Amino acid sequence: MAGLSAAARARELGAAPVVFEKGTRPGGSMLLSSCVIWRFRDWGDFRVECPTGDEPLQRVVWEQLDDGIAWLESLGAPVVVHETGNPRTVGKRFDPRGLTDTLVRAAGEVRLGETADDVTILATGGFQGHGDLVAEHVRPAAPLRLRANSWSAGDGLRLGLERGAELSAGMDEFYGRNMPDADYREDDFVPLAQLYGRFARVYNEQGEEFFEGEVSWSENDLVQATARQPGARAWYVLDDAALEQRVRDRKVADMVELARTRVDPSELPFPTPAGARVAVRVKPGITHTIGGLRIDERARVVGAAGLLAAGADAGGISTGGYASGLAAALVFGRIAAETALNRD
Ligand SMILES: Cc1cc2nc3c(=O)[nH]c(=O)nc-3n(C[C@H](O)[C@H](O)[C@H](O)COP(=O)(O)OP(=O)(O)OC[C@H]3O[C@@H](n4cnc5c(N)ncnc54)[C@H](O)[C@@H]3O)c2cc1C
């Protein structure tokens, strides 16, 4: 998202950018996403939801996202729904294929299967695809499955550090979803998400209810807590009432039905909780890292003169919680292009 947005903006400003795309197709994780590009409705909520994030960077995303979304629409990106369906947030759901095609057209030259070390803007999408880097920084109790494109493996982080970059806060944080603890494919990333932890009783393998307090609406706090449990896994145990609940337009029972790791509660590795009807073994699928290179409000990498970064390569924006990764990528991708062309 960030790289294509930067190139499209640079081209609009009269430059002739080249996008080096390591993958065999453009679009990165954006193409795999639900493609809801959003911000918190109220500025104060952003601070409450992501309290340790870099406030000036958050302010930039919050103030410039609406312009960014209007710009995408002006380029012809197809909107599926003109709202997020979440009263706390505002934004739009785009068609991921249509958005990718639109940005590729606007970006101009996109070289598939190519990388480059001497670049102006880093936008490689984070380091979730590199198991060793995840182990070093995020430190889950066991390896996590990847719920993202496989090419975002910390190349931007490496290149930035080689040029003296500073790291942001939140290097141990990530955004993800608890998924059935079994292998899955790219087209399972969205439908298989087990997004009903708030209605379940949640245990670790030892039968301990490890999560204290209320699970947040995004459930990203529960997902990250699960990563710290033995084996980086948890059991969601549901009773009849929980199965009847709905999350957005989906019934909890239908999400459970899709999980191959659902078992009868009598098969749990600890005494069966009262009233349990079904249990699902889950493990976090890591979607993107939250920490990364430290940037300023003009997308300049702090400590690395002349280098710019955007998207998940730029860390510390949604630290302490969860905010739209597409929004940050769009806003700072555009800003990076403007900075590179001295239009700030
Ligand atoms: C299933 C799923 C659902 C999601 N739903 C949402 C949602 O609804 N809303 C939301 O805000 N976010 C969502 N996200 C997250 C969102 O997709 C990311 O936050 C966003 O794509 C990050 O943008 P980016 O530009 O940093 O990374 P990407 O969009 O992944 O782009 C990074 C690109 O860099 C390429 N690359 C990697 N290394 C190199 C290299 N060395 N040289 C050249 N190219 C390289 C990759 O191949 C990739 O194409 C979702 C993600 C997934 C997987």
Side-chain angles (χ1 to χ4, degrees):
M1 175 67 163
L4 290 174
S5 300
R9 180 72 181 127
R11 196 144 167 260
E12 191 174 65
L13 294 171
V18 177
V19 178
F20 294 94
E21 169 50 66
K22 183 181 180 183
T24 51
R25 52 139 186 95
S29 290
M30 173 181 70
L31 182 65
L32 308 174
S33 79
S34 308
C35 224
V36 184
I37 308 182
W38 59 271
R39 63 170 172 83
F40 290 99
R41 187 179 294 277
D42 299 319
W43 163 245
D45 268 4
F46 198 169
R47 292 299 300 147
V48 170
E49 296 265 355
C50 304
T52 51
D54 183 310
E55 185 168 349
L57 299 183
Q58 292 179 338
R59 189 95 216 172
V60 169
V61 176
W62 194 81
E63 285 177 352
Q64 298 194 26
L65 182 65
D66 298 358
D67 286 349
I69 288 177
W71 175 74
L72 291 177
E73 290 188 82
S74 75
L75 295 175
V79 174
V80 180
V81 188
H82 288 265
E83 49 151 330
T84 63
N86 177 345
R88 290 179 193 81
T89 64
V90 290
K92 300 196 179 193
R93 179 190 288 268
F94 286 83
D95 170 60
R97 166 63 61 193
L99 177 58
T100 301
D101 292 346
T102 302
L103 284 175
V104 166
R105 253 192 325 272
E109 189 175 351
V110 180
R111 298 190 190 165
L112 294 182
E114 286 192 37
T115 62
D117 280 358
D118 186 19
V119 295
T120 313
I121 302 173
L122 294 173
T124 72
F127 62 87
Q128 60 280 351
H130 196 299
D132 290 347
L133 285 176
V134 172
E136 179 187 341
H137 293 287
V138 178
R139 298 191 298 276
L144 307 177
R145 283 191 188 80
L146 185 64
R147 182 178 176 265
N149 87 76
S150 59
W151 301 295
S152 294
D155 296 344
L157 184 68
R158 176 179 54 79
L159 289 171
L161 291 175
E162 281 170 10
R163 288 178 54 179
E166 287 181 22
L167 294 178
S168 74
M171 290 302 290
D172 57 347
E173 296 184 32
F174 70 95
Y175 160 61
R177 292 273 188 243
N178 271 345
M179 305 287 285
D181 183 15
D183 289 344
Y184 42 80
R185 301 177 322 199
E186 272 183 10
D187 51 6
D188 295 324
F189 287 171
V190 173
L192 271 195
Q194 302 294 292
L195 189 57
Y196 52 79
R198 74 202 78 168
F199 301 121
R201 293 186 69 180
V202 183
Y203 299 83
N204 64 18
E205 287 282 302
Q206 288 150 358
E208 296 158 340
E209 287 186 273
F210 61 87
F211 193 84
E212 287 176 11
E214 211 174 301
V215 176
S216 70
W217 62 274
S218 72
E219 303 201 356
N220 205 41
D221 45 2
L222 176 57
V223 174
Q224 294 190 79
T226 303
R228 318 277 176 219
Q229 300 309 306
R233 53 170 70 105
W235 287 97
Y236 284 176
V237 178
L238 298 126
D239 59 18
D240 286 330
L243 288 165
E244 286 303 312
Q245 297 284 345
R246 300 187 84 86
V247 178
R248 297 184 199 142
D249 54 343
R250 297 179 70 195
K251 211 168 143 189
V252 170
D254 295 337
M255 289 187 253
V256 170
E257 186 65 29
L258 292 177
R260 276 198 286 135
T261 54
R262 71 177 188 285
V263 299
D264 187 89
S266 62
E267 295 173 44
L268 283 165
F270 47 84
T272 310
R277 174 69 61 187
V278 65
V280 180
R281 197 180 70 235
V282 295
K283 181 184 259 274
I286 183 168
T287 304
H288 64 75
T289 40
I290 285 181
L293 302 172
R294 201 172 140 220
I295 61 163
D296 68 10
E297 291 130 277
R298 298 306 309 164
R300 293 175 292 222
V301 177
V302 178
L307 190 62
L308 302 158
D313 281 355
I317 298 171
S318 61
T319 319
Y322 167 60
S324 169
L326 291 169
L330 168 62
V331 168
F332 279 108
R334 274 163 49 89
I335 289 175
E338 290 160 8
T339 303
L341 297 167
N342 294 317
R343 301 296 175 88
D344 49 337

